[in-house]
Amino acid sequence: GPQSIDGYIDDRGTHNARVGHRWWKLLPNLEYVGTGDTGTNAYQSASSTDVYANNIMVSGNNRPNGINSVGSGRTTPAYVAWPPRGFCPFSLLPTSARWSVFKSGGAFNTPGTSVTINSVQAAVTYSDAGTVVFTGPVPNDWTGVETDYDVVVSADGAVYTYTVTVFDAITPDTPTWTSINVIAP
C-alpha cells in the first residue's frame, strides 16, 4: 500500500545506496506500474508472526529485457530531484538521508560531481549512470520552522540549482507559512 511506496521513495538500507527504487517511481515518462500487497501489517515487529509483502513491477524502455512502457512524446525535465524543488513536508524528507538528482539523458562523471546545500559541501555517496546521491537533512533535523535548502549540483560542466522549502503539514494549528507584507502606494 501507500506505506510501501513511501519506503521505495526513502530507499533505506545499505543495499539501496543507488536509490534505484526511487528512480523508477520518479521516472518522468513512466506510464505503467503494477503494485500489490499481501498481509495486514506493513511495519510489524521482528517477533510478529504476521507476514507482509509488497511487490512492484515497473517496466520501461531502459530495461534490459526491452519491455517498453515508457511513454513517448512527453517533455522530459533536465533533472528530477528528491526531495523535490519547491515546498516539501518535513515528514517526506528521506529518513535514509539520501537526497538525489536524476539527470535526463546522461551520466554524472563521478570525480567531477559536487553538491552543496546552503553553501555547505554535502557528502556525495553515489554518482553514476545519471544519478547523484548525497547526504541531506532528515526529518529529525527539522527545527519546526519553515526552512529553505538551496541545493547546487555541479557535474560535467553543468550546474543544477533548486530550492527545497521544508514545512509542517502534519501538526494542526502550527503556522509555518512565510508572511508577505504588501505596502500600497
Side-chain angles (χ1 to χ4, degrees):
Q3 293 172 334
S4 296
I5 301 302
D6 290 346
Y8 290 129
I9 295 294
D10 197 345
D11 246 351
R12 297 178 285 279
T14 57
H15 54 285
N16 290 321
R18 296 178 178 189
V19 296
H21 299 100
R22 181 185 301 164
W23 184 87
W24 276 113
K25 306 317 163 283
L26 300 180
L27 190 63
N29 52 352
L30 182 67
E31 287 186 318
Y32 302 105
V33 176
T35 185
D37 298 298
T38 184
T40 57
N41 185 1
Y43 296 103
Q44 70 270 11
S45 69
S47 62
S48 174
T49 58
D50 187 24
V51 175
Y52 176 84
N54 173 270
N55 186 28
I56 193 157
M57 185 198 84
V58 178
S59 58
N61 63 4
N62 292 327
R63 306 265 312 175
N65 61 6
I67 296 172
N68 186 0
S69 67
V70 176
S72 60
R74 293 184 181 180
T75 301
T76 302
Y79 66 92
V80 175
W82 190 263
R85 122 179 72 204
F87 288 90
C88 179
F90 82 92
S91 59
L92 294 182
L93 292 177
T95 61
S96 64
R98 293 182 182 123
W99 289 38
S100 61
V101 172
F102 307 119
K103 178 179 168 183
S104 299
F108 286 109
N109 179 7
T110 303
T113 302
S114 69
V115 179
T116 61
I117 300 176
N118 292 344
S119 301
V120 176
Q121 194 70 37
V124 174
T125 58
Y126 179 79
S127 179
D128 194 16
T131 302
V132 61
V133 181
F134 50 98
T135 302
V138 298
N140 289 343
D141 291 340
W142 191 62
T143 62
V145 176
E146 185 175 290
T147 305
D148 288 341
Y149 294 103
D150 297 317
V151 180
V152 178
V153 177
S154 301
D156 303 327
V159 177
Y160 305 90
T161 304
Y162 63 99
T163 300
V164 177
T165 302
V166 178
F167 70 101
D168 186 350
I170 296 175
T171 308
D173 302 321
T174 303
T176 60
W177 62 81
T178 301
S179 63
I180 300 172
N181 294 323
V182 179
I183 301 171

